Amino acid sequence: MTVLHLLVGTTSGNTEFLADTVSEKLNQQGIETELHYEPEFEKLPSDQPWLIFLASHGAGDYADSMLDFYDEINDPQSPDLAGLNYAVVAVGESCYDTFCEAGRHCDKRLQELGGTQMTDRLEIDMLEDDPEEKALNWLPAIADAVKAL
Ligand SMILES: Cc1cc2nc3c(=O)[nH]c(=O)nc-3n(C[C@H](O)[C@H](O)[C@H](O)COP(=O)(O)O)c2cc1C
């Protein structure tokens, strides 16, 4: 049974709200999800797909709840993530030069570690986009990819 693990990288809660909304929609489509509000790398099964919601903070840094995750994937003894299927929803604001930098970094790093992108990264601009609408429009791509695993 495939379970889609939703990893939440948030500091002030916007991204958590978005992940909760997406999770409910996926459940309605018959996809089982598990939410990780403070993702602990060693507890995440890499033989199950991950959907990562990650807000940028600081100057393109990872949001607070995924700072430990950042350390894990950048450890010199980096884990091998061959076999992992994942997708990234990057959250940010276009007024920053480092727009969505954390999500972009995470996407690139998971590929370097052997992971396979299930679908193109979604970037949400909290200044211009309706975040729920944009995420829900993108959802069929991820739902189809998960069902095809
Ligand atoms: C101090 C601070 C720094 C930020 N830095 C960035 C940034 O470098 N790049 C970006 O795209 N957005 C940046 N943002 C915008 C946040 O990503 C945006 O407000 C987002 O909605 C926060 O999500 P959260 O509530 O889940 O933490 C920053 C916001 C704050 C408050």
Side-chain angles (χ1 to χ4, degrees):
M1 171 77 192
T2 301
V3 177
L4 179 60
H5 291 259
L6 271 55
L7 285 58
V8 183
T10 186
T11 296
S12 46
N14 295 333
T15 307
E16 181 175 332
F17 180 78
L18 186 63
D20 286 344
T21 306
V22 167
S23 179
E24 273 174 35
K25 286 285 172 196
L26 287 164
N27 295 159
Q28 286 164 12
Q29 294 175 29
I31 294 173
E32 195 177 326
T33 56
E34 188 173 325
L35 281 148
H36 300 263
Y37 295 112
E38 302 235 342
E40 289 183 66
F41 191 81
E42 62 283 2
K43 292 192 180 157
L44 292 164
S46 60
D47 59 347
Q48 295 284 323
W50 300 355
L51 176 55
I52 299 149
F53 292 81
L54 178 52
S56 295
H57 276 269
D61 302 329
Y62 284 35
D64 287 357
S65 66
M66 280 184 62
L67 285 173
D68 289 348
F69 183 91
Y70 173 88
D71 289 341
E72 294 286 353
I73 62 173
N74 289 290
D75 191 282
Q77 313 276 325
S78 290
D80 178 3
L81 293 180
L84 171 70
N85 292 290
Y86 76 93
V88 174
V89 178
V91 174
E93 291 178 2
S94 53
C95 59
Y96 290 90
D97 291 343
T98 47
F99 175 60
C100 282
E101 197 54 46
R104 291 176 186 177
H105 173 274
C106 184
D107 196 357
K108 184 165 159 272
R109 187 67 191 138
L110 293 181
Q111 277 189 53
E112 286 169 1
L113 296 175
T116 303
Q117 233 187 14
M118 289 189 285
T119 185
D120 286 344
R121 179 179 63 248
L122 178 68
E123 296 191 347
I124 295 183
D125 179 359
M126 296 303 258
L127 293 181
E128 298 286 341
D129 296 326
D130 176 329
E132 279 76 44
E133 188 184 320
K134 195 161 181 189
L136 295 180
N137 285 339
W138 176 83
L139 215 52
I142 189 76
D144 289 350
V146 170
K147 285 176 183 166
L149 289 176

